[in-house]
mmCIF file of all heavy atoms in Angstrom:
data_model
loop_
_atom_site.group_PDB
_atom_site.id
_atom_site.type_symbol
_atom_site.label_atom_id
_atom_site.label_comp_id
_atom_site.label_asym_id
_atom_site.label_seq_id
_atom_site.Cartn_x
_atom_site.Cartn_y
_atom_site.Cartn_z
ATOM 1 N N ASN A 1 0.822 -1.215 0.000
ATOM 2 C CA ASN A 1 0.000 0.000 0.000
ATOM 3 C C ASN A 1 0.856 1.265 0.000
ATOM 4 O O ASN A 1 0.513 2.252 -0.665
ATOM 5 C CB ASN A 1 -0.952 0.009 1.197
ATOM 6 C CG ASN A 1 -2.039 -1.037 1.079
ATOM 7 O OD1 ASN A 1 -2.347 -1.513 -0.010
ATOM 8 N ND2 ASN A 1 -2.610 -1.403 2.204
ATOM 9 N N SER A 2 1.960 1.246 0.706
ATOM 10 C CA SER A 2 2.848 2.417 0.721
ATOM 11 C C SER A 2 3.480 2.644 -0.642
ATOM 12 O O SER A 2 3.637 3.788 -1.071
ATOM 13 C CB SER A 2 3.933 2.248 1.788
ATOM 14 O OG SER A 2 3.355 2.290 3.074
ATOM 15 N N ALA A 3 3.841 1.561 -1.330
ATOM 16 C CA ALA A 3 4.390 1.703 -2.691
ATOM 17 C C ALA A 3 3.345 2.334 -3.599
ATOM 18 O O ALA A 3 3.648 3.238 -4.387
ATOM 19 C CB ALA A 3 4.838 0.351 -3.233
ATOM 20 N N ARG A 4 2.117 1.883 -3.486
ATOM 21 C CA ARG A 4 1.030 2.458 -4.295
ATOM 22 C C ARG A 4 0.746 3.903 -3.902
ATOM 23 O O ARG A 4 0.393 4.713 -4.751
ATOM 24 C CB ARG A 4 -0.231 1.608 -4.152
ATOM 25 C CG ARG A 4 -0.105 0.262 -4.823
ATOM 26 C CD ARG A 4 -1.332 -0.568 -4.618
ATOM 27 N NE ARG A 4 -1.257 -1.797 -5.396
ATOM 28 C CZ ARG A 4 -2.057 -2.823 -5.206
ATOM 29 N NH1 ARG A 4 -3.003 -2.772 -4.288
ATOM 30 N NH2 ARG A 4 -1.923 -3.893 -5.945
ATOM 31 N N GLU A 5 0.890 4.206 -2.624
ATOM 32 C CA GLU A 5 0.671 5.574 -2.142
ATOM 33 C C GLU A 5 1.676 6.543 -2.766
ATOM 34 O O GLU A 5 1.364 7.718 -2.988
ATOM 35 C CB GLU A 5 0.794 5.596 -0.618
ATOM 36 C CG GLU A 5 0.552 6.949 0.010
ATOM 37 C CD GLU A 5 0.754 6.947 1.515
ATOM 38 O OE1 GLU A 5 1.014 5.866 2.105
ATOM 39 O OE2 GLU A 5 0.659 8.029 2.111
ATOM 40 N N CYS A 6 2.866 6.070 -3.069
ATOM 41 C CA CYS A 6 3.890 6.929 -3.667
ATOM 42 C C CYS A 6 3.532 7.362 -5.088
ATOM 43 O O CYS A 6 3.944 8.438 -5.523
ATOM 44 C CB CYS A 6 5.241 6.210 -3.681
ATOM 45 S SG CYS A 6 5.990 6.009 -2.061
ATOM 46 N N VAL A 7 2.772 6.545 -5.802
ATOM 47 C CA VAL A 7 2.495 6.796 -7.218
ATOM 48 C C VAL A 7 1.848 8.169 -7.461
ATOM 49 O O VAL A 7 2.361 8.949 -8.266
ATOM 50 C CB VAL A 7 1.671 5.649 -7.837
ATOM 51 C CG1 VAL A 7 1.239 5.979 -9.258
ATOM 52 C CG2 VAL A 7 2.484 4.360 -7.811
ATOM 53 N N PRO A 8 0.744 8.526 -6.796
ATOM 54 C CA PRO A 8 0.159 9.844 -7.072
ATOM 55 C C PRO A 8 1.057 10.998 -6.628
ATOM 56 O O PRO A 8 1.055 12.068 -7.259
ATOM 57 C CB PRO A 8 -1.168 9.843 -6.308
ATOM 58 C CG PRO A 8 -1.095 8.727 -5.353
ATOM 59 C CD PRO A 8 -0.097 7.746 -5.886
ATOM 60 N N MET A 9 1.837 10.790 -5.580
ATOM 61 C CA MET A 9 2.723 11.865 -5.130
ATOM 62 C C MET A 9 3.869 12.084 -6.117
ATOM 63 O O MET A 9 4.290 13.225 -6.342
ATOM 64 C CB MET A 9 3.246 11.556 -3.728
ATOM 65 C CG MET A 9 2.147 11.636 -2.680
ATOM 66 S SD MET A 9 2.747 11.433 -1.008
ATOM 67 C CE MET A 9 2.911 9.648 -0.921
ATOM 68 N N ILE A 10 4.349 11.010 -6.712
ATOM 69 C CA ILE A 10 5.385 11.136 -7.741
ATOM 70 C C ILE A 10 4.810 11.833 -8.969
ATOM 71 O O ILE A 10 5.450 12.710 -9.558
ATOM 72 C CB ILE A 10 5.962 9.748 -8.084
ATOM 73 C CG1 ILE A 10 6.746 9.197 -6.900
ATOM 74 C CG2 ILE A 10 6.838 9.805 -9.324
ATOM 75 C CD1 ILE A 10 7.063 7.724 -7.008
ATOM 76 N N GLU A 11 3.593 11.436 -9.345
ATOM 77 C CA GLU A 11 2.927 12.074 -10.491
ATOM 78 C C GLU A 11 2.716 13.564 -10.231
ATOM 79 O O GLU A 11 2.980 14.402 -11.102
ATOM 80 C CB GLU A 11 1.585 11.385 -10.772
ATOM 81 C CG GLU A 11 0.717 12.088 -11.794
ATOM 82 C CD GLU A 11 1.286 12.077 -13.209
ATOM 83 O OE1 GLU A 11 2.133 11.222 -13.520
ATOM 84 O OE2 GLU A 11 0.878 12.940 -14.015
ATOM 85 N N LEU A 12 2.255 13.910 -9.049
ATOM 86 C CA LEU A 12 2.050 15.325 -8.714
ATOM 87 C C LEU A 12 3.378 16.078 -8.714
ATOM 88 O O LEU A 12 3.442 17.224 -9.187
ATOM 89 C CB LEU A 12 1.356 15.453 -7.358
ATOM 90 C CG LEU A 12 0.975 16.850 -6.925
ATOM 91 C CD1 LEU A 12 0.053 17.532 -7.951
ATOM 92 C CD2 LEU A 12 0.310 16.819 -5.562
ATOM 93 N N SER A 13 4.419 15.434 -8.231
ATOM 94 C CA SER A 13 5.749 16.060 -8.247
ATOM 95 C C SER A 13 6.200 16.360 -9.667
ATOM 96 O O SER A 13 6.799 17.408 -9.934
ATOM 97 C CB SER A 13 6.770 15.149 -7.558
ATOM 98 O OG SER A 13 6.448 14.967 -6.206
ATOM 99 N N ARG A 14 5.886 15.447 -10.596
ATOM 100 C CA ARG A 14 6.228 15.673 -12.005
ATOM 101 C C ARG A 14 5.383 16.810 -12.572
ATOM 102 O O ARG A 14 5.908 17.709 -13.233
ATOM 103 C CB ARG A 14 6.001 14.408 -12.833
ATOM 104 C CG ARG A 14 6.411 14.581 -14.310
ATOM 105 C CD ARG A 14 5.917 13.447 -15.176
ATOM 106 N NE ARG A 14 4.470 13.324 -15.200
ATOM 107 C CZ ARG A 14 3.646 14.084 -15.934
ATOM 108 N NH1 ARG A 14 4.131 15.037 -16.704
ATOM 109 N NH2 ARG A 14 2.346 13.887 -15.898
ATOM 110 N N ARG A 15 4.085 16.781 -12.303
ATOM 111 C CA ARG A 15 3.195 17.825 -12.828
ATOM 112 C C ARG A 15 3.570 19.210 -12.320
ATOM 113 O O ARG A 15 3.421 20.195 -13.032
ATOM 114 C CB ARG A 15 1.740 17.537 -12.442
ATOM 115 C CG ARG A 15 1.138 16.372 -13.181
ATOM 116 C CD ARG A 15 -0.296 16.195 -12.781
ATOM 117 N NE ARG A 15 -0.892 15.045 -13.424
ATOM 118 C CZ ARG A 15 -2.189 14.800 -13.411
ATOM 119 N NH1 ARG A 15 -3.021 15.611 -12.791
ATOM 120 N NH2 ARG A 15 -2.651 13.727 -14.015
ATOM 121 N N ARG A 16 4.057 19.276 -11.098
ATOM 122 C CA ARG A 16 4.460 20.564 -10.510
ATOM 123 C C ARG A 16 5.915 20.909 -10.853
ATOM 124 O O ARG A 16 6.464 21.854 -10.328
ATOM 125 C CB ARG A 16 4.270 20.527 -8.999
ATOM 126 C CG ARG A 16 2.885 20.120 -8.530
ATOM 127 C CD ARG A 16 1.985 21.179 -8.166
ATOM 128 N NE ARG A 16 2.708 22.230 -7.467
ATOM 129 C CZ ARG A 16 2.169 23.373 -7.122
ATOM 130 N NH1 ARG A 16 0.924 23.605 -7.408
ATOM 131 N NH2 ARG A 16 2.861 24.290 -6.514
ATOM 132 N N THR A 17 6.511 20.120 -11.718
ATOM 133 C CA THR A 17 7.909 20.247 -12.148
ATOM 134 C C THR A 17 8.897 20.267 -10.972
ATOM 135 O O THR A 17 9.919 20.940 -11.023
ATOM 136 C CB THR A 17 8.132 21.463 -13.085
ATOM 137 O OG1 THR A 17 7.851 22.656 -12.391
ATOM 138 C CG2 THR A 17 7.308 21.344 -14.354
ATOM 139 N N LEU A 18 8.588 19.498 -9.948
ATOM 140 C CA LEU A 18 9.503 19.337 -8.824
ATOM 141 C C LEU A 18 10.535 18.253 -9.134
ATOM 142 O O LEU A 18 11.626 18.248 -8.563
ATOM 143 C CB LEU A 18 8.726 18.971 -7.553
ATOM 144 C CG LEU A 18 7.687 20.004 -7.114
ATOM 145 C CD1 LEU A 18 6.795 19.437 -6.019
ATOM 146 C CD2 LEU A 18 8.380 21.278 -6.644
ATOM 147 N N ILE A 19 10.162 17.342 -10.037
ATOM 148 C CA ILE A 19 11.092 16.340 -10.558
ATOM 149 C C ILE A 19 10.924 16.326 -12.074
ATOM 150 O O ILE A 19 9.858 16.681 -12.583
ATOM 151 C CB ILE A 19 10.852 14.930 -9.968
ATOM 152 C CG1 ILE A 19 9.446 14.413 -10.284
ATOM 153 C CG2 ILE A 19 11.131 14.902 -8.470
ATOM 154 C CD1 ILE A 19 9.197 12.969 -9.862
ATOM 155 N N GLY A 20 11.961 15.919 -12.764
ATOM 156 C CA GLY A 20 11.915 15.854 -14.220
ATOM 157 C C GLY A 20 11.286 14.561 -14.703
ATOM 158 O O GLY A 20 11.025 13.629 -13.925
ATOM 159 N N GLN A 21 11.067 14.495 -16.003
ATOM 160 C CA GLN A 21 10.437 13.334 -16.614
ATOM 161 C C GLN A 21 11.249 12.058 -16.389
ATOM 162 O O GLN A 21 10.690 11.005 -16.079
ATOM 163 C CB GLN A 21 10.214 13.570 -18.117
ATOM 164 C CG GLN A 21 9.511 12.448 -18.834
ATOM 165 C CD GLN A 21 8.078 12.228 -18.373
ATOM 166 O OE1 GLN A 21 7.407 13.164 -17.934
ATOM 167 N NE2 GLN A 21 7.602 11.005 -18.469
ATOM 168 N N GLN A 22 12.557 12.147 -16.543
ATOM 169 C CA GLN A 22 13.410 10.967 -16.364
ATOM 170 C C GLN A 22 13.345 10.451 -14.923
ATOM 171 O O GLN A 22 13.223 9.247 -14.687
ATOM 172 C CB GLN A 22 14.848 11.283 -16.751
ATOM 173 C CG GLN A 22 15.760 10.084 -16.648
ATOM 174 C CD GLN A 22 17.179 10.403 -17.088
ATOM 175 O OE1 GLN A 22 17.499 11.525 -17.472
ATOM 176 N NE2 GLN A 22 18.047 9.419 -17.018
ATOM 177 N N GLU A 23 13.410 11.368 -13.972
ATOM 178 C CA GLU A 23 13.325 10.982 -12.566
ATOM 179 C C GLU A 23 11.945 10.386 -12.259
ATOM 180 O O GLU A 23 11.826 9.375 -11.557
ATOM 181 C CB GLU A 23 13.592 12.203 -11.683
ATOM 182 C CG GLU A 23 14.038 11.885 -10.302
ATOM 183 C CD GLU A 23 14.559 13.106 -9.574
ATOM 184 O OE1 GLU A 23 14.170 14.248 -9.898
ATOM 185 O OE2 GLU A 23 15.359 12.906 -8.651
ATOM 186 N N TYR A 24 10.915 11.000 -12.823
ATOM 187 C CA TYR A 24 9.557 10.479 -12.661
ATOM 188 C C TYR A 24 9.476 9.034 -13.165
ATOM 189 O O TYR A 24 8.930 8.155 -12.481
ATOM 190 C CB TYR A 24 8.542 11.348 -13.401
ATOM 191 C CG TYR A 24 7.225 10.657 -13.616
ATOM 192 C CD1 TYR A 24 6.316 10.530 -12.573
ATOM 193 C CD2 TYR A 24 6.909 10.076 -14.841
ATOM 194 C CE1 TYR A 24 5.124 9.859 -12.752
ATOM 195 C CE2 TYR A 24 5.716 9.404 -15.023
ATOM 196 C CZ TYR A 24 4.827 9.300 -13.977
ATOM 197 O OH TYR A 24 3.646 8.620 -14.158
ATOM 198 N N GLU A 25 9.984 8.783 -14.351
ATOM 199 C CA GLU A 25 9.924 7.436 -14.928
ATOM 200 C C GLU A 25 10.686 6.429 -14.073
ATOM 201 O O GLU A 25 10.242 5.292 -13.894
ATOM 202 C CB GLU A 25 10.445 7.453 -16.364
ATOM 203 C CG GLU A 25 9.506 8.171 -17.322
ATOM 204 C CD GLU A 25 10.078 8.366 -18.714
ATOM 205 O OE1 GLU A 25 11.182 7.843 -19.008
ATOM 206 O OE2 GLU A 25 9.413 9.058 -19.520
ATOM 207 N N GLN A 26 11.835 6.838 -13.539
ATOM 208 C CA GLN A 26 12.604 5.939 -12.674
ATOM 209 C C GLN A 26 11.832 5.622 -11.397
ATOM 210 O O GLN A 26 11.764 4.463 -10.982
ATOM 211 C CB GLN A 26 13.954 6.570 -12.328
ATOM 212 C CG GLN A 26 14.897 6.636 -13.498
ATOM 213 C CD GLN A 26 16.155 7.444 -13.198
ATOM 214 O OE1 GLN A 26 16.215 8.194 -12.229
ATOM 215 N NE2 GLN A 26 17.158 7.288 -14.047
ATOM 216 N N PHE A 27 11.245 6.647 -10.780
ATOM 217 C CA PHE A 27 10.478 6.444 -9.550
ATOM 218 C C PHE A 27 9.230 5.608 -9.813
ATOM 219 O O PHE A 27 8.891 4.723 -9.040
ATOM 220 C CB PHE A 27 10.084 7.774 -8.916
ATOM 221 C CG PHE A 27 11.234 8.536 -8.314
ATOM 222 C CD1 PHE A 27 11.180 9.907 -8.211
ATOM 223 C CD2 PHE A 27 12.367 7.890 -7.841
ATOM 224 C CE1 PHE A 27 12.220 10.627 -7.654
ATOM 225 C CE2 PHE A 27 13.414 8.593 -7.280
ATOM 226 C CZ PHE A 27 13.338 9.972 -7.181
ATOM 227 N N ASP A 28 8.533 5.912 -10.898
ATOM 228 C CA ASP A 28 7.314 5.182 -11.221
ATOM 229 C C ASP A 28 7.631 3.715 -11.503
ATOM 230 O O ASP A 28 6.920 2.816 -11.027
ATOM 231 C CB ASP A 28 6.616 5.836 -12.413
ATOM 232 C CG ASP A 28 5.243 5.270 -12.671
ATOM 233 O OD1 ASP A 28 4.387 5.372 -11.766
ATOM 234 O OD2 ASP A 28 5.026 4.733 -13.769
ATOM 235 N N ASP A 29 8.691 3.473 -12.236
ATOM 236 C CA ASP A 29 9.118 2.107 -12.533
ATOM 237 C C ASP A 29 9.499 1.367 -11.245
ATOM 238 O O ASP A 29 9.144 0.200 -11.057
ATOM 239 C CB ASP A 29 10.290 2.135 -13.524
ATOM 240 C CG ASP A 29 10.666 0.754 -14.020
ATOM 241 O OD1 ASP A 29 9.793 0.073 -14.581
ATOM 242 O OD2 ASP A 29 11.841 0.378 -13.845
ATOM 243 N N ALA A 30 10.205 2.052 -10.367
ATOM 244 C CA ALA A 30 10.601 1.440 -9.090
ATOM 245 C C ALA A 30 9.373 1.077 -8.266
ATOM 246 O O ALA A 30 9.309 -0.024 -7.695
ATOM 247 C CB ALA A 30 11.511 2.381 -8.314
ATOM 248 N N CYS A 31 8.391 1.978 -8.220
ATOM 249 C CA CYS A 31 7.153 1.687 -7.476
ATOM 250 C C CYS A 31 6.448 0.470 -8.050
ATOM 251 O O CYS A 31 5.983 -0.401 -7.307
ATOM 252 C CB CYS A 31 6.202 2.885 -7.512
ATOM 253 S SG CYS A 31 6.643 4.197 -6.383
ATOM 254 N N PHE A 32 6.367 0.406 -9.358
ATOM 255 C CA PHE A 32 5.694 -0.724 -10.005
ATOM 256 C C PHE A 32 6.390 -2.044 -9.665
ATOM 257 O O PHE A 32 5.742 -3.026 -9.304
ATOM 258 C CB PHE A 32 5.639 -0.523 -11.520
ATOM 259 C CG PHE A 32 4.959 -1.655 -12.230
ATOM 260 C CD1 PHE A 32 3.580 -1.716 -12.302
ATOM 261 C CD2 PHE A 32 5.712 -2.671 -12.806
ATOM 262 C CE1 PHE A 32 2.957 -2.780 -12.936
ATOM 263 C CE2 PHE A 32 5.095 -3.736 -13.450
ATOM 264 C CZ PHE A 32 3.705 -3.795 -13.516
ATOM 265 N N HIS A 33 7.703 -2.057 -9.773
ATOM 266 C CA HIS A 33 8.443 -3.289 -9.493
ATOM 267 C C HIS A 33 8.386 -3.673 -8.020
ATOM 268 O O HIS A 33 8.232 -4.843 -7.684
ATOM 269 C CB HIS A 33 9.886 -3.176 -9.987
ATOM 270 C CG HIS A 33 9.994 -3.337 -11.460
ATOM 271 N ND1 HIS A 33 10.015 -2.268 -12.322
ATOM 272 C CD2 HIS A 33 10.032 -4.449 -12.224
ATOM 273 C CE1 HIS A 33 10.073 -2.719 -13.558
ATOM 274 N NE2 HIS A 33 10.083 -4.034 -13.530
ATOM 275 N N ILE A 34 8.493 -2.702 -7.147
ATOM 276 C CA ILE A 34 8.397 -2.991 -5.715
ATOM 277 C C ILE A 34 7.009 -3.526 -5.387
ATOM 278 O O ILE A 34 6.869 -4.516 -4.664
ATOM 279 C CB ILE A 34 8.738 -1.740 -4.876
ATOM 280 C CG1 ILE A 34 10.240 -1.435 -4.984
ATOM 281 C CG2 ILE A 34 8.322 -1.923 -3.418
ATOM 282 C CD1 ILE A 34 10.648 -0.083 -4.448
ATOM 283 N N ALA A 35 5.974 -2.885 -5.921
ATOM 284 C CA ALA A 35 4.602 -3.346 -5.664
ATOM 285 C C ALA A 35 4.402 -4.762 -6.198
ATOM 286 O O ALA A 35 3.786 -5.611 -5.520
ATOM 287 C CB ALA A 35 3.589 -2.383 -6.286
ATOM 288 N N SER A 36 4.920 -5.057 -7.374
ATOM 289 C CA SER A 36 4.805 -6.404 -7.942
ATOM 290 C C SER A 36 5.516 -7.427 -7.064
ATOM 291 O O SER A 36 5.005 -8.527 -6.821
ATOM 292 C CB SER A 36 5.386 -6.443 -9.353
ATOM 293 O OG SER A 36 4.656 -5.613 -10.208
ATOM 294 N N MET A 37 6.689 -7.073 -6.594
ATOM 295 C CA MET A 37 7.447 -7.978 -5.733
ATOM 296 C C MET A 37 6.743 -8.184 -4.387
ATOM 297 O O MET A 37 6.714 -9.305 -3.857
ATOM 298 C CB MET A 37 8.865 -7.439 -5.522
ATOM 299 C CG MET A 37 9.697 -7.430 -6.787
ATOM 300 S SD MET A 37 11.265 -6.587 -6.575
ATOM 301 C CE MET A 37 12.204 -7.877 -5.784
ATOM 302 N N MET A 38 6.157 -7.126 -3.837
ATOM 303 C CA MET A 38 5.433 -7.238 -2.575
ATOM 304 C C MET A 38 4.210 -8.123 -2.745
ATOM 305 O O MET A 38 3.901 -8.940 -1.866
ATOM 306 C CB MET A 38 5.030 -5.865 -2.036
ATOM 307 C CG MET A 38 6.170 -5.038 -1.490
ATOM 308 S SD MET A 38 7.269 -5.886 -0.335
ATOM 309 C CE MET A 38 6.148 -6.588 0.854
ATOM 310 N N TYR A 39 3.510 -7.951 -3.850
ATOM 311 C CA TYR A 39 2.339 -8.778 -4.099
ATOM 312 C C TYR A 39 2.734 -10.254 -4.165
ATOM 313 O O TYR A 39 2.081 -11.119 -3.568
ATOM 314 C CB TYR A 39 1.638 -8.329 -5.392
ATOM 315 C CG TYR A 39 0.377 -9.075 -5.664
ATOM 316 C CD1 TYR A 39 -0.768 -8.876 -4.884
ATOM 317 C CD2 TYR A 39 0.296 -9.987 -6.703
ATOM 318 C CE1 TYR A 39 -1.933 -9.574 -5.122
ATOM 319 C CE2 TYR A 39 -0.875 -10.694 -6.958
ATOM 320 C CZ TYR A 39 -1.982 -10.480 -6.168
ATOM 321 O OH TYR A 39 -3.138 -11.179 -6.397
ATOM 322 N N ALA A 40 3.804 -10.558 -4.873
ATOM 323 C CA ALA A 40 4.276 -11.938 -4.973
ATOM 324 C C ALA A 40 4.724 -12.464 -3.598
ATOM 325 O O ALA A 40 4.438 -13.626 -3.260
ATOM 326 C CB ALA A 40 5.429 -12.037 -5.972
ATOM 327 N N LEU A 41 5.373 -11.630 -2.835
ATOM 328 C CA LEU A 41 5.813 -12.039 -1.500
ATOM 329 C C LEU A 41 4.610 -12.320 -0.598
ATOM 330 O O LEU A 41 4.597 -13.307 0.138
ATOM 331 C CB LEU A 41 6.707 -10.951 -0.887
ATOM 332 C CG LEU A 41 7.504 -11.292 0.352
ATOM 333 C CD1 LEU A 41 8.401 -12.510 0.141
ATOM 334 C CD2 LEU A 41 8.332 -10.087 0.779
ATOM 335 N N MET A 42 3.595 -11.482 -0.685
ATOM 336 C CA MET A 42 2.369 -11.705 0.104
ATOM 337 C C MET A 42 1.722 -13.038 -0.267
ATOM 338 O O MET A 42 1.258 -13.759 0.607
ATOM 339 C CB MET A 42 1.372 -10.568 -0.136
ATOM 340 C CG MET A 42 1.728 -9.271 0.551
ATOM 341 S SD MET A 42 0.589 -7.957 0.094
ATOM 342 C CE MET A 42 -0.972 -8.639 0.629
ATOM 343 N N ARG A 43 1.678 -13.330 -1.542
ATOM 344 C CA ARG A 43 1.049 -14.575 -1.999
ATOM 345 C C ARG A 43 1.842 -15.806 -1.562
ATOM 346 O O ARG A 43 1.276 -16.883 -1.424
ATOM 347 C CB ARG A 43 0.896 -14.575 -3.507
ATOM 348 C CG ARG A 43 -0.179 -13.603 -3.966
ATOM 349 C CD ARG A 43 -0.507 -13.712 -5.418
ATOM 350 N NE ARG A 43 0.323 -14.649 -6.151
ATOM 351 C CZ ARG A 43 0.431 -14.700 -7.454
ATOM 352 N NH1 ARG A 43 -0.225 -13.844 -8.194
ATOM 353 N NH2 ARG A 43 1.209 -15.570 -8.065
#
């Protein structure tokens, strides 16, 4: 849930130009992979 919680905040950070597109993509990708790994670990 915390990994998923990061997603909208990262998106808002990009929209407000607090982070660049490349940094956004890295963070978003990291969240996706962490969330996928957590889901598999839970199962």
Side-chain angles (χ1 to χ4, degrees):
N1 291 339
S2 292
R4 290 178 174 166
E5 182 183 356
C6 290
V7 173
M9 291 185 280
I10 292 166
E11 171 67 21
L12 185 57
S13 297
R14 183 192 61 79
R15 289 182 183 191
R16 307 262 321 174
T17 63
L18 300 169
I19 60 174
Q21 182 65 29
Q22 183 178 0
E23 202 168 25
Y24 163 77
E25 290 172 6
Q26 290 172 344
F27 290 153
D28 189 61
D29 188 58
C31 282
F32 180 82
H33 283 95
I34 289 168
S36 297
M37 294 172 80
M38 288 311 309
Y39 184 71
L41 193 56
M42 285 175 59
R43 289 189 356 196

